[in-house]
Amino acid sequence: MAQYTWDSSKKFCDTETHKTQATCADCPATECAGCKGQIAAGEVHAICRENGEAAHLGCKGRAAAGWVDYF
């Protein structure tokens, strides 16, 4: 299985924006790549550097396990 690098959404998202708006331009994620559940507006999540997918912090492993590597 390939190794994936994850960044916290806090690196990209302005938490002040999330206090007043449901989403911000830097945070388009709405579905978790692991559990397929919703990522709540402003909820801290992880963003995969390699493919841009988003996942709940606890779902990163499940998301990566479901990805097929084509390289």
Side-chain angles (χ1 to χ4, degrees):
M1 179 170 28
Q3 294 294 315
Y4 295 98
T5 306
W6 296 89
D7 289 311
S8 171
S9 62
K10 284 187 172 189
K11 179 177 179 180
F12 302 105
C13 296
D14 180 351
T15 56
E16 290 300 315
T17 300
H18 280 307
K19 288 180 182 177
T20 59
Q21 300 176 31
T23 59
C24 68
D26 295 330
C27 186
T30 57
E31 182 180 278
C32 174
C35 71
K36 303 301 182 194
Q38 290 296 110
I39 295 175
E43 179 180 5
V44 176
H45 54 276
I47 302 167
C48 179
R49 284 186 193 174
E50 287 75 22
N51 62 20
E53 294 284 341
H56 294 113
L57 298 179
C59 296
K60 295 185 298 185
R62 188 186 318 179
W67 293 331
V68 177
D69 300 317
Y70 294 102
F71 50 92

